[in-house]
Amino acid sequence: MSAILPGATLGVLGGGQLGRMFVHAAQRMGYFTAVLDPDADSPAGRVSHHHIHTDYTDVDGLARLAGLADAITTEFENVPAPSLEHLSVARPVWPAATSVAIAQDRIREKSHFVGCGVDCAPYAIIESADHMAVPPNLLPGILKTARLGYDGKGQQRVGTREELAAAWSAMGGVPCVLEKLLPLDFECSVIVARGEDGQVVHFPPQRNLHRDGILAVTEVHAGNMGEAQARRAVDSAVAIAEGLDYVGVLCVEFFVLADGSLVVNEMAPRPHNSGHWTIEACDISQFELQVRTLAGLPLNAPRQHSPALMLNLLGDLWFADAEASGGPRSSETAVEPRWADVLALPGTHLHLYGKIEARRGRKMGHLTITGENIDTVRSTADFAAALLGLPIPLSE
């Protein structure tokens, strides 16, 4: 397709923080934006030129979006794929509904990884009670629902076939994937962007730390993982994108095992929490690349100019203990964290997502720290974490 130039309108299904940052990037480049989201106070809807307040399957709402937007994307993987397919009849839609549908189903996702020649953890598909007789070498393992699992939800560790059967029953007997537990060294992710013409660019691999299944810390700098590991991660992510004939921004998450090998965990057909650092530490952010892929603009390879560390900010911080907050507070009363003290630290960049209510476990924002070298960045991050009441040390 020919490029969609600034002055046009770009649409997005989903009004969360990823949509908000996409909207900001598009507006900075001169585009108008339209968001479709069922939440009247959605973070992206509140800053967009147009907010279509309706459900993702509402035909009239989808028609309104198609009437406003010259091209349409999504900001989260659980938007109904049929809605994307419906919109694609009238407008360019990237990523395509087929790619999103594969990412929504772990069974199809695993099959795609295998077809691309990318190693997965050994696994079995559990779709009925007859599938409980799994090979012994798959236990202990993690049972994951095939659909709608994210941020550690829809998962349970199992050690025996009896525990497997009980966990599957507790999950409602829905289709699941059982993955073998492997000796893990650390986790990483790679964000790639692929244009309709097949051009692919990528960011450096990101080293990630999760707590309770939710991303807590991302660190990106020279030497954050071995060169051979980094190359394999990038090559695998590119192979996965090309196997989908993908257009858009794609994040692929990996486990790095104790022996140094990599296995793919999952993919997200959108910008990703682990890529938020690119806004301050690169000349082109993941969200600008999302705009470029959607609009058919050239994809310049992004360059990282500063070491970076990102802290995920959950709603728990608004209910932190008295010592971290500098005064007494009730455990059930939300109090704004010490942003002024945090922002007094050099190289700190605060992003709050405009969510009206802080809730425990809810992603409220992120803090990126940049500096001349990673030691300075880590030192500043430790100070910031102490001010906010986050666990220290920040790394494994």
Side-chain angles (χ1 to χ4, degrees), residues 226-243:
E227 289 186 13
Q229 290 173 330
R231 187 70 257 164
R232 285 199 301 273
V234 169
D235 289 346
S236 297
V238 170
I240 288 167
E242 291 183 337

Side-chain angles (χ1 to χ4, degrees), residues 236-249:
S236 297
V238 170
I240 288 167
E242 291 183 337
L244 291 166
D245 197 18
Y246 191 85
V247 178
V249 172

Side-chain angles (χ1 to χ4, degrees), residues 295-320:
L297 298 174
L299 298 185
N300 296 337
R303 295 174 297 172
Q304 181 180 1
H305 51 69
S306 303
L309 188 151
M310 186 213 70
L311 303 177
N312 214 13
L313 305 176
L314 303 182
D316 305 63
L317 298 183
W318 278 250
F319 305 92

